[in-house]
Each structure stands twice: as structure tokens, then as C-alpha cells.
Amino acid sequence: MKEFIPILLKYVRSRQLLGGVVVLVSHNARTFDVPFLKNEFSRCSYEIPEDWLFADTLPLARSVMKSKGPKVPTKISLQALREHYGIPLIGPAHRALSDVHSLALVLQRLTYDLKLPVSGLIQGSFK
């Protein structure tokens, strides 16, 4: 991670709009991904940039479940959501590229179902 973090920071900065925020999206971000990143950044003597926000698809999926009732899966794992939306698995599950592909398409479907614009996604993000 000590070698990876500077590469990640440079990569993200190279794609960030001037004055814009970065929104990193993951499924279960609040309890898994973000604490992991915070710990690793701290362990390697880095700070997560102030303009980075995190969006978690898990609460979005829970909101969809509430609004649609029994039409949605009771499990809300990324795999269950992918299957619910009929999104084909590209490559093996729980591999970075495959999960990113699934997450991107699940996010599109969740925001569509919730009629959630980008501004709403950003507003619901956290640091």
C-alpha cells in the first residue's frame, strides 16, 4: 500500500475536474471499504484528500427494497443485486474488474429506481 497510495492519488488527480470533488463508490463502503482505506492511508502516513467523498450503494439498495416491497431480493449483496437486475457477470465474482463492472451497472439501476440525480448521490455521500 505504501507504494500504491501515491499512484492512486496521482491517478485520481489526473482525472479530477478542477475544483470538483471525487466520489468513490462501493457496496458496503461505510463499514468495510472506507475504514480499510482510512486505516491503510494512516498506516502509510497519508491522509485521504478533503475533496474525496464516498458513496455507499448498500443504503441505496435498502431504500429500493423499502419502496418496491417484495419485488426485490431479501439479500442485498452486490451479487444479489446484480442477479436481481439481470446484469451479466463479466469474469469471476469478487475480482476487481468484475465487481467494478457489476457495481457501476447496479449503481445506475439503483439511482434510476430512486430517481436520484448525481447531486443527490453527492449529497448522500460522506467523508
Side-chain angles (χ1 to χ4, degrees), residues 20 39 41 61 64 74 108:
N39 183 57
F41 268 64
V64 169
T74 54
Q108 288 176 2

Side-chain angles (χ1 to χ4, degrees), residues 61-112:
R62 287 185 180 135
S63 294
V64 169
M65 284 176 49
K66 287 178 188 174
S67 70
K68 294 203 174 205
K71 293 182 185 178
V72 295
T74 54
K75 290 178 68 175
I76 49 177
S77 66
L78 183 58
Q79 177 181 339
L81 291 167
R82 181 185 54 74
E83 291 170 359
H84 170 73
Y85 286 122
I87 297 167
L89 181 62
I90 309 269
H94 304 296
R95 299 312 243 186
L97 191 56
S98 177
D99 282 358
V100 166
H101 179 264
S102 295
L103 181 65
L105 296 175
V106 164
L107 176 65
Q108 288 176 2
R109 299 297 294 272
L110 290 171
T111 55
Y112 176 82

